[in-house]
Amino acid sequence: MKMKSISLVNLMACNLSASRGMVQSNERHFMNIPATAPIPALTRNGLAVLRALRGSGPLTLGELAERIDVSRPTAGVGVGELEEIGWVLSDRASQGMGRPARRHALNAPAAAVVGVDLGLHSIRVVLHDLNEGLLADHRVANHEGIGAAEQLDLLVSVISEAAARAGSPPLLAIGVGLPGVVDRSGRIVIGPSHAGWGGLPLKGRLAAVFDCPILIENDAMAAASAEHQWGAGRGADSFVYLLGGHRTSSAIVINGRLLRGTNGAAGMVGELPELQWEGSARQLLNDGGAQGDDLLSVFARAQDGDAVASAAVDSYLDRLSVGLAAVALAIDPELVVLGGGISRVGAQIGPALQDRLHARAHIIAPRIETSPLGAEATVRGAAHLAFTAVDGELDTRMRAI
């Protein structure tokens, strides 16, 4: 039975139910993640205990009862539910004289959430446990030019391998961040032209393989959500996330919330050729006389005083500042976060980019900070979006009981 929404109440572990067209090509992958039975529904007591134990150390029954404001027997009922499904481990710890108190802790690896950074050059998958601790981190090279079916095969195999490395826990949700505009149905409306992803109903394709909630998001938007949770945007009411590297994109957080827009394209000013983001990285490589696709080598040579590389970097920052000023003037943010590949040279280019931004958008002056998450932002954001959806459903169920 396929879940239509995420639920920690009527939890269905993420079963693999391959479609006929995928079984033969991926049979070896599916064997890594055994199918599991649905987990029984939790009562309000079980849900309350679950919420109290997430992110907490072991607690006695008395401490749990105090936290969730119920009697000890009532808290015990919730603990019993979670023990029965293997989500709580209980033991006795000495507290001096007398009988040792029984303490209860969340069995965090009992289930997991998946985050995926589906890039043009690599696919990275992480698994996080119930306390958001890292269970597995697996990356493989992606192959440009392969068809949609082969791309999906590869993605499924990487998720399956990561889950196997984590001990094959049941999966609650899968979040995917990728380059492109993603609509509310999880279809890639616009993808990189040379990747052949445009129009691909990725959510539906993955849902035919993994019987759990699937969340598909633009990579810059996923990264912005991670920055707001853990990175430079933490505590900021509004900011622009600038993803810079071999491609340039942006995302917006406003009033503490990720802005997606009607079609999932909010903040993607790089789609306007007049704003000079399209091809800006390639122009930097050409102007800087780089060998291959090593952008960072141009910045390194500029840092060392190379005149050609310095001029190339100056022109690159000029182009970035045009689109950045446009999106900043639209929302008047307090902050711009430099992410993606250019986060590695943030200290070098940040002040110069800020000067150009302030010169163009002279009526506003957002500060510029470098992402501390760097290349981790998209995959962490993808997992965070999945966790947020799970927690949102948990809150909904709590209110409904």
Side-chain angles (χ1 to χ4, degrees):
M1 181 182 199
K2 185 172 293 184
M3 292 173 62
K4 298 299 182 184
S5 63
I6 305 170
S7 175
L8 285 177
V9 182
N10 188 23
L11 272 169
M12 175 83 75
C14 181
N15 302 322
L16 286 172
S17 54
S19 61
R20 292 182 181 178
M22 297 288 294
V23 170
Q24 291 182 351
S25 62
N26 285 305
E27 183 176 359
R28 64 185 184 281
H29 307 149
F30 296 163
M31 293 176 64
N32 291 334
I33 309 178
T36 56
I39 299 173
L42 299 174
T43 67
R44 185 179 186 85
N45 296 328
L47 290 169
V49 170
L50 174 59
R51 295 179 69 177
L53 289 176
R54 280 195 66 194
S56 167
L59 298 174
T60 66
L61 198 58
E63 291 168 336
L64 270 172
E66 184 177 353
R67 286 202 179 193
I68 63 178
D69 195 23
V70 297
S71 67
R72 286 169 57 94
T74 300
V77 170
V79 168
E81 291 181 39
L82 293 168
E83 284 180 324
E84 186 175 347
I85 63 173
W87 279 36
V88 160
L89 301 175
S90 302
D91 60 13
R92 295 192 181 276
S94 176
Q95 292 184 332
M97 298 293 292
R99 185 179 181 186
R102 194 164 186 245
R103 300 176 69 82
H104 313 282
L106 188 65
N107 183 18
V113 154
V114 179
V116 180
D117 182 354
L118 177 57
L120 295 174
H121 304 290
S122 67
I123 300 175
R124 183 179 178 190
V125 174
V126 297
L127 263 72
H128 291 279
D129 64 25
L130 293 171
N131 275 334
E132 302 191 26
L134 184 64
L135 291 174
D137 187 340
H138 183 42
R139 184 201 300 264
V140 301
N142 201 354
H143 309 296
E144 289 193 55
I146 65 175
E150 291 81 6
Q151 182 74 217
L152 185 61
D153 282 358
L154 181 59
L155 177 56
V156 169
S157 73
V158 182
I159 294 173
S160 300
E161 176 60 25
R165 293 183 180 192
S168 300
L171 309 180
L172 303 181
I174 297 173
V176 181
L178 53 81
V181 177
V182 182
D183 68 15
R184 297 181 187 278
S185 72
R187 182 173 65 94
I188 305 174
V189 180
I190 301 173
S193 58
H194 59 288
W197 295 357
L200 179 65
L202 184 60
K203 179 177 179 178
R205 296 285 181 86
L206 285 177
V209 180
F210 297 98
D211 191 17
C212 70
I214 310 291
L215 298 98
I216 311 296
E217 188 58 276
N218 167 263
D219 55 358
M221 291 185 179
S225 71
E227 291 293 342
H228 189 245
Q229 182 71 13
W230 301 290
R234 186 173 185 179
D237 182 68
S238 63
F239 67 90
V240 173
Y241 177 82
L242 178 64
L243 188 156
H246 290 287
R247 44 181 286 274
T248 307
S249 186
S250 61
I252 295 169
V253 169
I254 190 165
N255 295 327
R257 300 186 65 179
L258 180 67
L259 183 65
R260 298 194 75 258
T262 301
N263 300 298
M268 295 186 185
V269 299
E271 294 300 314
L272 282 173
E274 294 82 359
L275 297 183
Q276 305 180 43
W277 278 7
E278 180 67 28
S280 59
R282 175 52 56 186
Q283 190 67 46
L284 171 64
L285 291 167
N286 292 340
D287 292 347
Q291 299 296 318
D293 292 332
D294 188 2
L295 290 171
L296 295 179
S297 68
V298 181
F299 292 105
R301 286 170 35 230
Q303 183 79 350
D304 290 339
D306 183 286
V308 172
S310 295
V313 169
D314 286 343
S315 295
Y316 174 70
L317 296 181
D318 284 340
R319 291 190 294 272
L320 279 191
S321 68
V322 175
L324 186 55
V327 69
L329 282 167
I331 68 166
D332 190 11
E334 60 185 276
L335 172 69
V336 172
V337 178
L338 295 183
I342 62 173
S343 65
R344 297 174 63 181
V345 293
Q348 176 183 345
I349 68 173
L353 182 59
Q354 183 160 299
D355 289 344
R356 287 165 169 79
L357 171 60
H358 292 176
R360 293 186 183 279
H362 58 89
I363 61 174
I364 62 173
R367 69 186 189 277
I368 292 182
E369 294 185 10
T370 302
S371 164
L373 303 180
E376 303 287 312
T378 294
V379 74
R380 290 188 66 177
H384 174 63
L385 291 173
F387 262 121
T388 298
V390 171
D391 288 339
E393 180 66 16
L394 173 60
D395 291 342
T396 299
R397 296 291 178 170
M398 282 289 289
R399 289 192 297 268
I401 294 177

